[in-house]
Structure formats: structure tokens, C-alpha cells
């Protein structure tokens, strides 16, 4: 039975009949070795990879283990093969080689390479790791890709040029130069679009690659399901067998302990194999609350790029591109000059809202048979325009800043001068000056009746610190984004 070798077993000499029993390894000895291995590889790796190993034969200088799957054997051989051999030899076992073989399955499965499953369409799809070529769609737990989210349809401007360039580099599929690529930015700034674009491009350029895109939420859902079905091994196998893993909105797993743990191990396993990882989040790794420190630092190891809020030119560029698309769809509809400029000027929140506005304009115009001019725009988009008129207030700023620095709202306007309170207060003053049309005396009144010179001092102080204190600069950027979202 043990002659049936998977692709992960090395040439099997022990089965050619010339067996020489060198030593019968008792279960107790293997037990001792396992304990030593646990110290060496850590509890988690031990539970995952060493504990399930069953030593079934130790003859002819070969130690053979039974493993649950071929992927498993492959993995253990590559990562722990030498450790295991050395430990065995330390007990005088005289092992030249360790081998891993899958226990005979209840229903015989075809050998991986020569699988004739294609003749039988009804056959169960093969497991991801066993089927070396592209994983069958139904085996991949990824989210479907939006065919519209390509590099072609992505408009590049100053706020996103770095993120775009990094995404392009990853999409070339060359040697992994930064791992992970971490994209972050506010809602609707194009993170998901760029990730899908990477996936599309890789699939075109290198169809043999297994590219897996999914949201962090789906990752968690899959993991919880695997726990419930007792198929964690399959889960691990699947996620460790991809060539490119993309996880969207990773902030979602913050505070979800076992999912974080599993994510961390998946992440490390892939990085160790030099597989590309792309992650997105709504903020920088260091800013994600309730995310384990070790994960934060791992996420920071690669290239961290942010998508800045859109500027006028980028918004106009995006609108022009979408308008062109719609002009083809709604033949005969024209847009009066100035309408796109007006929208780019007025709707500054996020690209999704901008797109929504344009979609609605075209639909509405075609329905009522009117040209798209300023009148129609005002009628049709009154609610969106009103909402984007909303101005940030000093009170809102105080609330958000207090929340961010974990101080009481009352301390914002109170007299305390301790640094850990005074600094956030100055941050709030600075943001009030920046984001609201209020004058210094008006702001002063809202900070417990402070004099306008105090506010000016606070604003200056923050401006000064900003250039030297990168943590403060990050805080300000995050707060601005949250307030303007
Ligand atoms: P995020 O994932 O950052 O929240 P998305 O990638 O879902 O944002 O983008 C929201 C919408 O805006 C999508 O329809 C996307 O195509 C569009 N979009 C965002 N940025 C751009 C861009 N630079 N060029 C073209 N479309 C964009
Ligand atoms: Mg997204």
C-alpha cells in the first residue's frame, strides 16, 4: 500500500523488496520527538502540521509518515522534513530520508497528474492542491470579479497614481518585490477596483496562476464554516495553495480573534513561499484598532500605499470617462457643457456617489426625453447635491477627535492643560480651522470661550509638529477622511 506515492514522495526504494529493518520506532519514542519538535516549531505549527503525522514505517533508512492529504505531505516535507529527520537521527534511527504518503482513501481517487476525470463530467471536482493546473471555479472560495473593474477603466490622477503604479507592478506577475501590497483609503476611492484589475490582468497574462480574491468577511465566513464542518485542514490547504491572494477590507477581521489568528498563519505561509499577497483596508495598518500587533507589523513589511481623496481633476476625468460610456449606451443623449464640471466641483465625497449621480442623470434624461443640462441636473440630483452641501461642524470635529484619542468630550472645551489632553484639543482646533468656514473667534467660542490667539497658537503648533511627527500627520489624515466621509 505504501508504494502508492503522491507527487510529494521521493523515489520509493523501501518498496522494492530489499527491506532491512533497522529499528522499530516505538510510539513512545516518536512521542518524545514530537515534543521536541513542538518546542522547535511552536504550538500552532505543531498542532497543524506535526500532530497529525502518523509514523508508519522506519526501515531501510527511510522514515515514512501517513498524512491526510498530498498538499499536507508536500508542505511538511518542505518546511519540516529536515527537522524531523534530524530529530529521528538524534535517537540513533539512521534515517536518510523522510517520506509522506496519503493514507489509502476509502474510494480510490485517480492519481493527480494522469487524472481521467475529464471523461466523467459527473465526477466530483478534484481538490485544489491535487489538481496542479488552475483550480476549478467551484473549488475556489473567491468572490466573483467585476468585469468592469479593469486597468483600462481606471482613471489615474495625482491622488491615486502611486497605488495604481504599485497595482500595475503586481499585475505584471514578475518576481515578488514587495509583499504584501497594502492599499488603503476611504470609501469609494478605488481599492476594490484596483484589486479586481490586478486579478483580471494576471489571469490574462498568466492563466496558470491561481489567483484568489475575496473580502475579509468572506475569509471569516469560510473559516467559521470550516470549523463547523471540521474541515479546517481543507481550508488551510486551499488557502495555502494559491499563487496570489487578495483580501479586501481587512479591517473587518479586527477584533475577531480566531479569524485573525488563521489569517496570520495563512499570510505567513504564503509569504514564506514567496507568493504575492494584496491587502486593502480603509486605513493604514497601524491605525486598525483591535488588530493584533504582530499582524500590523507583518502588514507593514511590504509596500503600504494610500489612495488619497479625489481632487477636482480626477473627478472630472472619471466623469468624462463614464459619460463616454453612457453616450454609447443612450444614443442621442447629449450633455450640456459645464454639467460634468459642476458635478466634479460639487460632489466631493466619493467616486461611487459621483458615478451614481451620472447614472441617474442619464436614466432620468432618457425617461423624460430632456437634454442633460444644468436645469435637469439640479432637478434630478437635488438630494445628492444637498447632502454634499453638508458642512463639517466644530462640534463634530471635537467629538471625532476626542473619540480618536480616547479622551472625554468635555475635556475638549475644559481647562485641563495636560499634554495628553491639550494636544488632541489643538488637533481639533486645527481641523476646525481647516474644515469649517468658522473664524478664529467663532472657533474660540466653541472651545469653552477661548481667545482667538489661543486657537491661532493651537493651529500653528499642529502645523509645526505635522512636518516632524509622522504619527500626528497620519492621525490628521485619518481624522480628515473620517470627517469628510
Ligand atoms: P473602494 O473599494 O475603495 O471602496 P471601489 O473600488 O469599490 O472603492 O470604487 C467605487 C466605484 O468608483 C467603483 O465603481 C469604481 O469603478 C469607481 N472608481 C473609483 N476610483 C476610480 C478611478 N480612479 N477610475 C475609475 N473608476 C473609479
Ligand atoms: Mg471596496
Amino acid at each position: 500500500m505504501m508504494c502508492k506515492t503522491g507527487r510529494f514522495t521521493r523515489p520509493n526504494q523501501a518498496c522494492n523488496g530489499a527491506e532491512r529493518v533497522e529499528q522499530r520506532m516505538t510510539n513512545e519514542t516518536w512521542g518524545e520527538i514530537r515534543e521536541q519538535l513542538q518546542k522547535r516549531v511552536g504550538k500552532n505549527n505543531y498542532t497543524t502540521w506535526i500532530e497529525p503525522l502518523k509514523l508508519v514505517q522506519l526501515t531501510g533508512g527511510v522514515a515514512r509518515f501517513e498524512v491526510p492529504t498530498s498538499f499536507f505531505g508536500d508542505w511538511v516535507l518542505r518546511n519540516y522534513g529536515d527537522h524531523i529527520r534530524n530529530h529521528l537521527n538524534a535517537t540513533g534511527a539512521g534515517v536518510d530520508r523522510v517520506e509522506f504518503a496519503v493514507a489509502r482513501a476509502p474510494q480510490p481517487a485517480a492519481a493527480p497528474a494522469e487524472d481521467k476525470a475529464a471523461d466523467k463530467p459527473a465526477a466530483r471536482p478534484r481538490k485544489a492542491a491535487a489538481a496542479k493546473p488552475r483550480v476549478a471555479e467551484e473549488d475556489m472560495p473567491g468572490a466573483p470579479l467585476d468585469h468592469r473593474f479593469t486597468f483600462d477603466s481606471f482613471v489615474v490622477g495625482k491622488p491615486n497614481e502611486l497605488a495604481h503604479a504599485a497595482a500595475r507592478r503586481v499585475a505584471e506577475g514578475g518576481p515578488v518585490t514587495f509583499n504584501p501590497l497594502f492599499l488603503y483609503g476611504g470609501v469609494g476611492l478605488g481599492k476594490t477596483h484596483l484589486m479586481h484589475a490586478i486579478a483580471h490582468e494576471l489571469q490574462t497574462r498568466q492563466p496558470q496562476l491561481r489567483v484568489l480574491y475575496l473580502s475579509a468577511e468572506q475569509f471569516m465566513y469560510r473559516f467559521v464554516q470550516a470549523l463547523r464542518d471540521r474541515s479546517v485542514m481543507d481550508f488551510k490547504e486551499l488557502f495555502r495553495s494559491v499563487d496570489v491572494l487578495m483580501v479586501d477590507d481587512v479591517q473587518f477581521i479586527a477584533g475577531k480573534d480566531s479569524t485573525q489568528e488563521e489569517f496570520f498563519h495563512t499570510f505567513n505561509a504564503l509569504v514564506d513561499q514567496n507568493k504575492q499577497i494584496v491587502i486593502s483596508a480603509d486605513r493604514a495598518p497601524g491605525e486598525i484598532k483591535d488588530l493584533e500587533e504582530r499582524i500590523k507589523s507583518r502588514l507593514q513589511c511590504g509596500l503600504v500605499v494610500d489612495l488619497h481623496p479625489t481632487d477636482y481633476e480626477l473627478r472630472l476625468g472619471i466623469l468624462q470617462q463614464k459619460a463616454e460610456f453612457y453616450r454609447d449606451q443612450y444614443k442621442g443623449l447629449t450633455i450640456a457643457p459645464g454639467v460634468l464640471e459642476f458635478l466634479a466641483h460639487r460632489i466631493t465625497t466619493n467616486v461611487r456617489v459621483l458615478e451614481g449621480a451620472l447614472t441617474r442623470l442619464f436614466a432620468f434624461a432618457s425617461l423624460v426625453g430632456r437634454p442633460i443640462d444644468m436645469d435637469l441636473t439640479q432637478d434630478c440630483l437635488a438630494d445628492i447635491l444637498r447632502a454634499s452641501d453638508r458642512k463639517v461642524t466644530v462640534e463634530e470635529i471635537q467629538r471625532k477627535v476626542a473619540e480618536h484619542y480616547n479622551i472625554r468630550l468635555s475635556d475638549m472645551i475644559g481647562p485641563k492643560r495636560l499634554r495628553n489632553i491639550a494636544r488632541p484639543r489643538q488637533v481639533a482646533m486645527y481641523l476646525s480651522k481647516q474644515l469649517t468656514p468658522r473664524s478664529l473667534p467663532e472657533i474660540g467660542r466653541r472651545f469653552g470661550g477661548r481667545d482667538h490667539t489661543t486657537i491661532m497658537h493651537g493651529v500653528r503648533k499642529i502645523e509645526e509638529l505635522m512636518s516632524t511627527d509622522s504619527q500626528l500627520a497620519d492621525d490628521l489624515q485619518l481624522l480628515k477622511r473620517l470627517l469628510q466621509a
Side-chain angles (χ1 to χ4, degrees):
M1 157 185 112
M2 295 318 302
C3 287
K4 181 178 170 291
T5 60
R7 64 190 165 79
F8 51 95
T9 33
R10 293 175 178 175
N12 189 347
Q13 298 169 342
C15 292
N16 61 13
E19 288 103 325
R20 182 168 58 87
V21 178
E22 287 176 339
Q23 186 189 336
R24 281 255 159 257
M25 172 66 65
T26 61
N27 282 340
E28 292 91 83
T29 319
W30 173 231
E32 267 168 40
I33 292 173
R34 288 206 308 187
E35 259 169 45
Q36 292 160 14
L37 281 167
Q38 174 167 0
K39 288 197 194 104
R40 172 142 206 140
V41 305
K43 171 119 184 59
N44 214 289
N45 285 326
Y46 172 82
T47 318
T48 309
W49 303 111
I50 307 294
E51 207 170 42
L53 296 176
K54 209 162 119 197
L55 182 65
V56 290
Q57 208 175 334
L58 189 73
T59 54
V62 178
R64 187 166 302 113
F65 293 88
E66 248 178 39
V67 288
T69 65
S70 61
F71 165 79
F72 191 107
D74 207 12
W75 177 270
V76 178
L77 178 66
R78 250 184 303 132
N79 292 279
Y80 305 118
D82 288 343
H83 287 325
I84 294 174
R85 201 193 51 209
N86 293 342
H87 275 89
L88 284 168
N89 283 337
T91 69
V95 173
D96 302 326
R97 206 168 63 228
V98 284
E99 288 185 359
F100 300 92
V102 181
R104 196 206 293 272
Q107 343 107 288
E114 297 80 25
D115 195 357
K116 293 263 163 46
D119 302 342
K120 298 177 263 169
R124 227 175 123 249
R126 295 197 55 75
K127 284 274 165 57
K132 192 63 185 156
R134 261 184 67 71
V135 177
E137 284 300 313
E138 61 268 43
D139 269 8
M140 282 304 238
L145 297 175
D146 190 318
H147 70 273
R148 295 166 309 173
F149 292 176
T150 60
F151 281 119
D152 276 350
S153 65
F154 192 83
V155 181
V156 184
K158 254 217 145 1
N160 59 24
E161 64 180 342
L162 209 60
H164 172 259
R168 277 276 192 197
R169 168 63 65 82
V170 168
E172 283 166 12
V176 176
T177 44
F178 36 79
N179 219 1
L181 167 61
F182 189 100
L183 298 170
Y184 77 95
V187 182
L189 296 183
K191 302 181 293 294
T192 299
H193 188 134
L194 278 180
M195 290 175 105
H196 285 215
I198 294 173
H200 287 307
E201 187 78 12
L202 280 172
Q203 282 178 351
T204 315
R205 283 173 183 247
Q206 303 196 40
Q208 82 285 2
L209 286 185
R210 295 184 192 134
V211 180
L212 179 56
Y213 164 87
L214 81 176
S215 67
E217 190 177 358
Q218 286 163 324
F219 181 86
M220 185 190 83
Y221 175 72
R222 286 272 163 182
F223 179 58
V224 169
Q225 199 177 34
L227 285 174
R228 210 175 41 222
D229 302 346
R230 296 170 192 277
S231 58
V232 174
M233 228 49 233
D234 290 346
F235 178 90
K236 285 181 189 291
E237 176 171 332
L238 193 66
F239 277 91
R240 282 158 173 72
S241 66
V242 301
D243 296 303
V244 180
L245 176 67
M246 298 201 253
V247 181
D248 208 348
D249 290 319
V250 82
Q251 75 277 356
F252 181 84
I253 63 163
K256 317 226 166 43
D257 291 344
S258 47
T259 304
Q260 274 193 52
E261 173 92 13
E262 186 55 37
F263 175 75
F264 181 68
H265 292 302
T266 305
F267 186 96
N268 288 342
L270 289 173
V271 169
D272 286 350
Q273 293 180 70
N274 217 13
K275 300 295 166 79
Q276 180 71 54
I277 299 177
V278 184
I279 305 282
S280 87
D282 64 352
R283 58 196 72 187
E287 305 282 353
I288 305 177
K289 275 205 188 112
D290 297 324
L291 191 66
E292 279 184 53
E293 279 308 319
R294 55 179 188 163
I295 300 186
K296 281 186 196 175
S297 68
R298 266 299 205 166
L299 290 175
Q300 275 156 344
C301 281
L303 181 67
V304 178
V305 224
D306 60 340
L307 290 123
H308 296 275
T310 56
D311 57 15
Y312 173 80
E313 284 86 6
L314 178 59
R315 289 195 295 273
L316 187 58
I318 293 172
L319 283 169
Q320 284 167 340
Q321 191 212 49
K322 307 271 169 198
E324 207 151 297
F325 171 77
Y326 282 130
R327 263 194 293 260
D328 289 344
Q329 287 223 315
Y330 296 90
K331 297 230 179 323
L333 268 187
T334 55
I335 303 182
V339 169
L340 294 183
E341 287 78 1
F342 171 77
L343 292 178
H345 183 66
R346 287 293 296 277
I347 304 177
T348 56
T349 45
N350 78 51
V351 180
R352 209 170 286 144
V353 177
L354 205 59
E355 286 182 341
L358 202 61
T359 309
R360 199 198 298 179
L361 264 187
F362 273 92
F364 191 72
S366 84
L367 218 60
V368 297
R370 278 166 59 185
I372 302 177
D373 54 15
M374 288 304 278
D375 273 354
L376 181 101
T377 305
Q378 298 275 9
D379 287 353
C380 170
L381 301 178
D383 56 336
I384 295 181
L385 294 172
R386 234 188 349 260
S388 67
D389 262 353
R390 196 186 73 93
K391 291 276 180 284
V392 183
T393 65
V394 175
E395 288 71 22
E396 253 176 284
I397 293 172
Q398 291 173 332
R399 200 161 352 101
K400 269 274 182 294
V401 174
E403 211 174 274
H404 179 77
Y405 288 104
N406 236 333
I407 65 170
R408 275 203 292 272
L409 183 57
S410 56
D411 283 337
M412 272 289 165
I413 46 180
K416 284 192 192 149
R417 307 179 86 169
L418 289 169
R419 163 82 66 90
N420 66 339
I421 292 189
R423 191 69 82 229
R425 191 188 288 135
Q426 288 173 331
V427 165
M429 290 172 180
Y430 168 83
L431 289 171
S432 300
K433 184 74 197 94
Q434 279 246 313
L435 304 180
T436 76
R438 301 277 169 218
S439 67
L440 291 176
E442 280 176 319
I443 295 174
R445 273 199 287 286
R446 287 170 173 79
F447 278 85
R450 283 178 163 81
D451 192 68
H452 77 275
T453 52
T454 311
I455 306 300
M456 191 150 69
H457 171 74
V459 173
R460 292 238 172 96
K461 184 81 204 163
I462 296 300
E463 278 170 352
E464 207 180 284
L465 288 174
M466 228 159 57
S467 52
T468 51
D469 183 342
S470 63
Q471 174 64 48
L472 179 69
D474 285 352
D475 284 352
L476 286 170
Q477 218 186 32
L478 173 71
L479 283 163
K480 259 193 212 170
R481 214 165 51 222
L482 290 173
L483 285 161
Q484 289 176 323

